[in-house]
Amino acid sequence: MEEYKKRIVKTIQYINANLDADLSLEKIAEISAYSPFHFHRIFRLITGETLQNYIIRKKIEKSALFLAVHKHVEIKEIYLDLGFSNHSVFSKTFKKYYGLPPSDFRKTAPETFHKILQTQSKNGQIDTVFSQYICSIENLLNWTTMNLKIEVKEMPEMNLAAVMSLGIAQVEPSYNLLINWAKEQNLFPRENVKMISVYHDSFKVTPADKVRIHACMLLDEKLREPKGEVFSETIEAGRFIVGSGEVTLQDFEQCWVSLFLWMNEHNYSVRRTFPFEIYHSNFKEHPEGKMIVDFCIPIH
């Protein structure tokens, strides 16, 4: 199973980087080094959905993000770039996932994002870590001032050992796997070790049980010999908005929302890479379940 997961992780990374390219079963199976028949069965076993469903979902999620963020881009341009043959097919598929046509979604985004998450959650609830937080902009900014120290700074390249999680529920098991690997490599425990969660999907457009979160450990140098589900990941050097504070898990959504709000208020724009969290302490070791966290948004 470990080797299966390793190949599927590689395949998922390829799919998400090439949503506008040839993603036939034969091509994807070639990337994974399995026969098409075996690959299809293994992919479904590990991810819980068929390859075709996964590809369509990722395309629709990407289109939703473009509809919400790039409102000047024509809808036709968006769906053609993602391989949909016509507006009717795209609109019908989009509505299946988000409950409304692309044009209506664009008009109401991002206000509907939390509603989307609610309709897609299997049990009708949003996970505790990213629970819905409703408040005015003024209250949110006040909360930010009291709870987060925010600064814009240059950060160096970071070399990571990573394990992919599909969905929030898999994050803790992924960290356990990563720590077990690190113990074998004599990398854990050690002084000032840093754990980092890298978000490869947005909770605004991807259901919480499908979001890809990489559970990572900061290394002194690039990982040379990946093993099993542990692979190498690099966060490139650059400018980041960093919000630092001592918070509980229930505060995470507020931290992210307020940080992006602060970004907009100060006229910064997101760079095309992934946001992440750096943990400086363990909430399990705090009597009130608090931990010191840096919330990092890459910006131009």
Side-chain angles (χ1 to χ4, degrees):
M1 182 63 74
E2 183 178 291
E3 179 62 25
Y4 290 163
K5 289 183 178 180
K6 181 180 178 181
R7 294 196 198 182
I8 294 300
V9 165
K10 177 183 176 182
T11 305
I12 286 174
Q13 291 174 323
Y14 176 83
I15 292 171
N16 291 309
N18 296 276
L19 286 172
D20 56 349
D22 172 24
L23 293 176
S24 63
L25 174 59
E26 290 73 19
K27 176 64 177 178
I28 300 301
E30 180 184 335
I31 297 295
S32 68
Y34 285 117
S35 70
F37 174 76
H38 284 99
F39 172 78
H40 192 270
R41 294 184 65 183
I42 293 165
F43 187 91
R44 184 167 187 172
L45 174 67
I46 291 175
T47 65
E49 60 186 323
T50 66
L51 174 65
Q52 187 63 19
N53 284 348
Y54 180 84
I55 291 172
I56 291 174
R57 179 171 64 79
K58 296 312 298 181
K59 287 186 175 187
I60 291 298
E61 288 171 3
K62 187 171 183 178
S63 72
L65 191 61
F66 270 78
L67 287 166
V69 176
H70 303 292
K71 295 184 183 291
H72 62 286
V73 178
E74 293 289 336
I75 292 179
K76 182 177 182 180
E77 183 179 342
I78 292 173
Y79 72 70
L80 288 178
D81 282 347
L82 290 171
F84 290 94
S85 58
N86 57 62
H87 186 274
S88 177
V89 171
F90 172 64
S91 183
K92 183 178 180 180
T93 308
F94 191 96
K95 189 173 182 179
K96 177 183 174 183
Y97 281 85
Y98 289 108
L100 68 170
S103 55
D104 291 346
F105 178 93
R106 167 169 272 177
K107 291 175 184 176
T108 56
E111 288 81 4
T112 58
F113 283 156
H114 289 302
K115 295 178 184 177
I116 292 166
L117 283 176
Q118 285 181 306
T119 58
Q120 291 190 341
S121 177
K122 291 181 180 178
N123 60 7
Q125 299 295 324
I126 301 174
D127 288 78
T128 302
V129 176
F130 289 89
S131 60
Q132 187 175 16
Y133 183 75
I134 303 173
C135 66
S136 69
I137 290 177
E138 182 179 355
N139 286 342
L140 193 51
L141 288 173
N142 288 338
W143 188 92
T144 305
T145 302
M146 291 186 293
N147 292 276
L148 291 179
K149 175 188 175 183
I150 301 178
E151 57 184 328
V152 175
K153 63 181 181 180
E154 295 286 336
M155 297 180 68
E157 179 180 270
M158 287 181 273
N159 296 305
L160 310 173
V163 174
M164 181 184 289
S165 307
L166 289 176
I168 283 182
Q170 295 304 313
V171 173
E172 186 169 355
S174 293
Y175 269 114
N176 291 337
L177 191 154
L178 180 64
I179 289 172
N180 288 336
W181 167 86
K183 288 178 178 177
E184 294 175 0
Q185 307 299 315
N186 294 319
L187 296 173
F188 187 91
R190 70 182 195 274
E191 189 176 358
N192 296 324
V193 63
K194 294 291 188 297
M195 297 297 183
I196 298 175
S197 290
V198 183
Y199 292 89
H200 286 256
D201 289 312
S202 170
F203 283 86
K204 292 180 178 179
V205 295
T206 304
D209 64 340
K210 301 295 185 184
V211 167
R212 290 170 302 136
I213 304 171
H214 290 185
C216 303
M217 178 182 293
L218 183 62
L219 304 177
D220 293 332
E221 57 184 27
K222 192 175 181 66
L223 181 63
R224 300 188 184 279
E225 296 183 9
K227 181 181 178 182
E229 294 179 57
V230 181
F231 57 91
S232 176
E233 180 162 6
T234 301
I235 295 175
E236 296 181 358
R239 290 178 85 203
F240 292 83
I241 295 174
V242 180
S244 303
E246 187 175 32
V247 295
T248 67
L249 289 175
Q250 286 75 21
D251 295 327
F252 273 40
E253 172 69 355
Q254 291 168 251
C255 291
W256 280 116
V257 171
S258 60
L259 206 58
F260 276 103
L261 179 60
W262 188 94
M263 179 189 74
N264 292 331
E265 292 281 317
H266 291 79
N267 299 314
Y268 290 106
S269 58
V270 177
R271 189 156 35 94
R272 288 192 63 180
T273 186
F274 305 108
F276 56 92
E277 298 157 355
I278 303 176
Y279 311 120
H280 298 278
S281 63
N282 187 343
F283 74 93
K284 293 182 179 180
E285 298 173 356
H286 192 284
E288 297 177 19
K290 292 184 176 182
M291 56 182 159
I292 300 171
V293 185
D294 292 342
F295 299 88
C296 306
I297 300 176
I299 57 171
H300 293 289

